[in-house]
Amino acid sequence: MDTTSVEAVTQETTEEINAFLQLIQNNTGALVGLGLKVVFAIIFFLIGRYLIKWVRKVVKAAFERSSADPGVATFVDSLLKFGLYAILIFMIATKFGVDTTSVAAIIASAGVAVGLALQGSLSNFAGGVLILLLKPFVVGDYIIEDNHKNEGTVKEIQLFYTKLTTIDNKTIVIPNGMLTNNSLTNVTEKNERRLDLKIGISYDSDLRKAKDVIRRLLEEEERIKKDEEILIFVDELGASSVVLGVRAWVSTDEFWNVKWKLLEEIKLAMDAEGIEIPYQQVAVHMKEE
């Protein structure tokens, strides 16, 4: 390379450097302002990140105190983290002159579209969170969904659905939104359950003797709560029978076993004592001409 070429390259480089320095000199104020914005943005982000961690910690402690399902706690924590960081970044972006109106409009439109598309799923998710937090029932409870009369033992509570197992070993899957928006009966929430029986005897049978037979069977049954009220009374004077009502308290776990056993023993004891348990009948009287 000759001397002329070297001088030309040097001259060109010098001019470019001078132009760059002149550009910096002319825009010193703008560069300083941009630098301050970056510094403040970093500081704001660090403060925001600290606050987000604090909020997540408080929410996590609340889930732990309520003994909520770990899956729900993790999901809510992730959702909270994503949402708060999105808000933080959006706030920082506004400091750099981003048009907040257009961004807000896009976010709102997307939110409405997603909300409409996932309306049912979001309702079920919210219902699952409410069930796990408020605990109207827990795994192992026997519940009756009053709207469609689905009933069974709760085997699993998921975020969107609750699974029941019926007496005949079928599985019923119910959306959580249905369980939270309709009434339900928790049969096994209490440790004790009242046993209600109705036994009909004929009008010709000895009423006091029938009551004594039932009272004796209740006293002999060890699973009947003797410290609770036991009632034997005339519940109804029916068309074909005198209906006796029986009320006693038993352990919830033993309810059906005690009920089935007592009904069988009452029938056998009534037969042995000659007390008739009549079936539904109609008496027809013929009038002679």
Side-chain angles (χ1 to χ4, degrees), residues 170-214:
K170 296 178 182 177
T171 298
I172 301 177
V173 181
I174 304 178
N176 288 331
M178 181 182 296
L179 293 176
T180 53
N181 293 327
N182 297 290
S183 61
L184 60 87
T185 302
N186 191 333
V187 178
T188 56
E189 181 179 9
K190 303 298 183 180
N191 294 327
E192 295 181 355
R193 185 176 174 184
R194 193 178 72 182
L195 180 67
D196 287 286
L197 302 177
K198 291 185 178 181
I199 299 97
I201 63 173
S202 68
Y203 278 92
D204 295 332
S205 298
D206 189 333
L207 177 61
R208 292 185 177 86
K209 185 177 181 181
K211 294 176 68 175
D212 289 339
V213 169
I214 296 174

Side-chain angles (χ1 to χ4, degrees), residues 83-124:
L84 292 178
Y85 270 109
I87 294 173
L88 177 61
I89 294 174
F90 178 77
M91 294 175 65
I92 293 174
T94 58
K95 300 300 181 181
F96 284 87
V98 177
D99 187 5
T100 58
T101 304
S102 58
V103 175
I106 294 173
I107 294 175
S109 301
V112 171
V114 173
L116 291 175
L118 301 177
Q119 184 176 6
S121 297
L122 292 176
S123 174
N124 292 333

Side-chain angles (χ1 to χ4, degrees), residues 1-288:
M1 182 179 294
D2 55 13
T3 306
T4 305
S5 300
V6 173
E7 291 178 354
V9 172
T10 303
Q11 181 67 26
E12 184 179 354
T13 304
T14 303
E15 291 176 355
E16 291 179 355
I17 294 174
N18 290 333
F20 179 73
L21 293 175
Q22 186 65 35
L23 178 64
I24 294 177
Q25 184 177 359
N26 293 336
N27 297 278
T28 301
L31 292 174
V32 171
L34 180 61
L36 290 175
K37 286 184 178 180
V38 172
V39 172
F40 283 123
I42 293 173
I43 295 175
F44 191 77
F45 178 80
L46 294 176
I47 295 174
R49 186 174 66 173
Y50 173 79
L51 292 175
I52 290 173
K53 288 182 178 180
W54 178 78
V55 171
R56 291 173 59 198
K57 184 178 180 181
V58 172
V59 174
K60 183 179 180 180
F63 272 101
E64 291 176 351
R65 286 195 301 270
S66 62
S67 300
D69 187 85
V72 177
T74 302
F75 183 84
V76 172
D77 180 67
S78 300
L79 190 64
L80 190 64
K81 178 181 178 181
F82 174 80
L84 292 178
Y85 270 109
I87 294 173
L88 177 61
I89 294 174
F90 178 77
M91 294 175 65
I92 293 174
T94 58
K95 300 300 181 181
F96 284 87
V98 177
D99 187 5
T100 58
T101 304
S102 58
V103 175
I106 294 173
I107 294 175
S109 301
V112 171
V114 173
L116 291 175
L118 301 177
Q119 184 176 6
S121 297
L122 292 176
S123 174
N124 292 333
F125 169 74
V129 173
L130 289 175
I131 290 172
L132 292 168
L133 289 177
L134 301 179
K135 297 185 182 300
F137 56 85
V138 296
V139 174
D141 284 348
Y142 190 95
I143 65 172
I144 303 173
E145 187 267 310
D146 296 336
N147 191 24
H148 296 90
K149 301 304 179 183
N150 294 312
E151 61 180 281
T153 303
V154 180
K155 289 299 181 184
E156 189 175 351
I157 303 175
Q158 299 179 353
L159 284 178
F160 297 95
Y161 300 95
T162 293
K163 293 184 178 181
L164 308 181
T165 300
T166 63
I167 297 176
D168 55 349
N169 204 30
K170 296 178 182 177
T171 298
I172 301 177
V173 181
I174 304 178
N176 288 331
M178 181 182 296
L179 293 176
T180 53
N181 293 327
N182 297 290
S183 61
L184 60 87
T185 302
N186 191 333
V187 178
T188 56
E189 181 179 9
K190 303 298 183 180
N191 294 327
E192 295 181 355
R193 185 176 174 184
R194 193 178 72 182
L195 180 67
D196 287 286
L197 302 177
K198 291 185 178 181
I199 299 97
I201 63 173
S202 68
Y203 278 92
D204 295 332
S205 298
D206 189 333
L207 177 61
R208 292 185 177 86
K209 185 177 181 181
K211 294 176 68 175
D212 289 339
V213 169
I214 296 174
R215 183 174 292 105
R216 174 174 56 82
L217 294 175
L218 293 176
E219 292 174 351
E220 292 175 354
E221 177 54 59
E222 297 179 352
R223 290 171 290 184
I224 296 292
K225 303 288 184 180
K226 304 301 189 298
D227 55 341
E228 299 286 351
E229 184 179 35
I230 298 177
L231 295 176
I232 304 172
F233 53 93
V234 176
D235 185 70
E236 182 185 355
L237 298 176
S240 303
S241 62
V242 177
V243 181
L244 298 180
V246 179
R247 289 181 179 175
W249 291 87
V250 297
S251 171
T252 302
D253 296 336
E254 295 289 347
F255 176 83
W256 291 107
N257 293 329
V258 175
K259 180 177 181 178
W260 295 331
K261 181 183 177 184
L262 278 177
L263 288 175
E264 179 180 348
E265 290 182 345
I266 288 173
K267 173 64 171 66
L268 295 175
M270 293 294 190
D271 291 343
E273 296 292 338
I275 301 173
E276 181 184 0
I277 300 179
Y279 50 85
Q280 187 71 29
Q281 54 187 300
V282 177
V284 179
H285 300 275
M286 304 294 295
K287 183 179 180 180
E288 296 181 0

